Amino acid sequence: MRHMKAVAPQVPVILDAKRGDIGSTAEQYAIEAFERYGADAVTLSPFMGFDSVQPYLKYHGKGAFLLCRTSNPGGDDLQNQRLASVEGQPLLYEHVARLAQGPWNLNGQLGLVVGATYPAEIERVRELAPTLPLLIPGVGAQGGDAVATVRAGLRRVGDDTTGPIIVNSSRAILYASAGDDFAQAARREAERTRDLLNAAAQQAEGAP
Amino acid sequence: MRHMKAVAPQVPVILDAKRGDIGSTAEQYAIEAFERYGADAVTLSPFMGFDSVQPYLKYHGKGAFLLCRTSNPGGDDLQNQRLASVEGQPLLYEHVARLAQGPWNLNGQLGLVVGATYPAEIERVRELAPTLPLLIPGVGAQGGDAVATVRAGLRRVGDDTTGPIIVNSSRAILYASAGDDFAQAARREAERTRDLLNAAAQQAEGAP
């Protein structure tokens, strides 16, 4: 973290810690993420409810991305369950998206994690949370389609300007090569991914 | 951890890490918990589904407690939602209890975390997961009723022998005193809690 802040101070650092704990523990994890590590944002699990999220929101200028619809095979085990007890019977991930766009977003610091492996669900999350930043892992090693991802995440809803999307590729870049050329290979893969995403964004913006 | 294993090798250590991440990351967190720290069990969030739990089950002889019905105020935000899409329309925490007692429990290593602040829900979890170990935080600083907790967790369901319960008090013992007597005060509070729980267990076993 110290190295990243030294060589690339303008690049936001998101600590993918997926924390989710009771309020008193969350307070300490917030200190860890924002004071000890100096992260700009953190990922959180919403499973334990609002008081497990609230302590992070005391750090104005810092962000928190809630797990919403994750990119792994088991993501639908719970996240795709339909809730009988919430108006409109949303799926669990849709309910999380609504909470993050609405009542939980006290100071506008929340975003959502939505896997690139499910573009239709990114589109659905974008409908429910038009202004939130979306953190989208799963392009690269997990096989998500970059163009479909960008289109879904940047889709305009009515006349609103949508929130930004942050598309993440980890293993495809980290493990681009196991040889001596690992640094160059990682750079090539990062640039290739960047160009692909930028082209997709231009296409998406030009799309009807 | 080294100190605990040195002075009390017979005491199981549960790492309350509340991990929940995709399979490839879960594999690394399992190495951290069981190999690096030498923990005997770990707590996990079920929000990301079975493949976020499975890597821990490769360590035979180690355990994993899934968050089920947590003791914090926001615990009911998601855990108490009723699922329209699962047979019998269970609450989310009831569904987690069933998954842990059944299909997710490949090698009998799973347990559940159920807060002491909700004895009626411990009773419900015990019905759905009669043989699983229950890890029950919330006695002490969080105000759970020790006797009601033990009664609910040890309640027999039919003729089955129930799984064990592990009742946890953290802050009430850690912060028993801020003075020079902190060690003695912590010991006193630990012994008081132990005696209270043992008396409650005897009562529960004698109950009709």
Side-chain angles (χ1 to χ4, degrees):
Chain A
M1 294 290 281
R2 203 177 288 128
H3 176 75
M4 286 189 284
K5 289 287 176 191
V7 300
Q10 77 288 4
V11 176
V13 177
I14 303 169
L15 189 72
D16 189 17
K18 298 190 174 70
R19 299 292 188 214
D21 215 314
I22 63 171
S24 58
T25 307
E27 276 177 34
Q28 302 301 319
Y29 277 139
I31 291 172
E32 180 205 36
F34 298 141
E35 299 186 28
R36 181 174 177 209
Y37 292 142
D40 299 293
V42 70
T43 58
L44 302 177
S45 168
F47 188 75
M48 292 184 65
F50 183 60
D51 67 310
S52 68
V53 170
Q54 196 169 11
Y56 301 87
L57 307 183
K58 291 179 192 157
Y59 288 79
H60 296 180
K62 303 285 189 178
F65 290 89
L66 303 189
L67 299 180
C68 178
R69 180 67 182 94
T70 60
S71 54
N72 59 312
D76 53 6
D77 288 347
L78 301 186
Q79 295 157 26
N80 264 14
Q81 297 296 346
R82 192 165 290 287
L83 305 184
S85 42
V86 178
E87 207 187 313
Q89 302 219 344
L91 301 178
L92 177 58
Y93 83 85
E94 295 173 329
H95 184 51
V96 171
R98 280 199 187 124
L99 291 169
Q101 176 72 44
W104 286 15
N105 201 9
L106 300 183
N107 310 307
Q109 290 159 275
L110 291 181
L112 292 166
V113 179
V114 194
T117 37
Y118 306 101
E121 291 162 336
I122 299 177
E123 210 171 302
R124 179 67 183 137
V125 168
R126 188 42 97 202
E127 270 175 38
L128 297 169
T131 65
L132 297 193
L134 303 184
L135 176 60
I136 309 182
V139 165
Q142 293 184 65
D145 175 332
V147 177
T149 297
V150 170
R151 252 177 200 276
L154 290 181
R155 206 172 69 90
R156 276 165 181 272
V157 180
D159 292 331
D160 292 343
T161 306
T162 60
I165 64 172
I166 302 166
V167 180
N168 176 62
S169 169
S170 299
R171 281 172 287 164
I173 292 170
L174 283 169
Y175 305 142
S177 162
D180 285 345
D181 66 335
F182 71 91
Q184 296 92 321
R187 182 187 180 93
R188 257 198 318 275
E189 180 63 21
E191 288 177 342
R192 199 190 63 78
T193 307
R194 179 200 62 189
D195 295 345
L196 187 71
L197 292 171
N198 281 343
Q202 283 181 346
Q203 264 190 43
E205 277 161 15
Chain B
M1 295 288 282
R2 204 176 290 128
H3 176 74
M4 287 188 285
K5 288 287 177 189
V7 302
Q10 77 288 6
V11 175
V13 176
I14 302 169
L15 189 71
D16 188 17
K18 298 189 173 69
R19 298 292 186 214
D21 215 314
I22 62 170
S24 58
T25 307
E27 275 175 34
Q28 301 301 319
Y29 278 139
I31 292 172
E32 180 203 37
F34 297 140
E35 298 186 29
R36 182 175 176 206
Y37 293 142
D40 299 293
V42 70
T43 59
L44 302 176
S45 168
F47 187 74
M48 292 184 67
F50 182 60
D51 66 310
S52 68
V53 171
Q54 195 170 11
Y56 300 89
L57 308 183
K58 292 177 194 159
Y59 288 81
H60 297 179
K62 304 285 189 177
F65 291 88
L66 302 189
L67 299 179
C68 178
R69 181 66 182 95
T70 59
S71 53
N72 59 311
D76 52 7
D77 287 347
L78 300 186
Q79 296 156 24
N80 263 15
Q81 297 297 345
R82 192 166 288 287
L83 304 184
S85 42
V86 178
E87 205 188 314
Q89 302 218 346
L91 301 177
L92 177 57
Y93 82 86
E94 294 173 330
H95 185 51
V96 171
R98 279 197 188 128
L99 291 170
Q101 176 73 42
W104 286 15
N105 201 11
L106 301 185
N107 310 307
Q109 289 158 277
L110 290 181
L112 292 165
V113 180
V114 194
T117 38
Y118 306 101
E121 290 161 335
I122 299 176
E123 209 170 305
R124 180 66 184 136
V125 169
R126 188 41 97 200
E127 269 175 38
L128 297 169
T131 64
L132 296 193
L134 302 184
L135 176 60
I136 309 181
V139 165
Q142 295 185 63
D145 175 331
V147 177
T149 296
V150 170
R151 251 178 201 275
L154 290 182
R155 204 174 71 91
R156 274 164 183 270
V157 180
D159 291 331
D160 292 342
T161 306
T162 59
I165 63 173
I166 302 167
V167 181
N168 176 62
S169 170
S170 300
R171 282 173 285 164
I173 292 170
L174 283 170
Y175 306 142
S177 163
D180 285 344
D181 65 334
F182 71 91
Q184 296 91 324
R187 183 188 179 91
R188 256 197 318 275
E189 181 61 22
E191 288 178 342
R192 198 190 64 78
T193 306
R194 178 200 63 190
D195 294 345
L196 188 69
L197 291 171
N198 280 343
Q202 282 181 346
Q203 264 190 44
E205 278 161 12

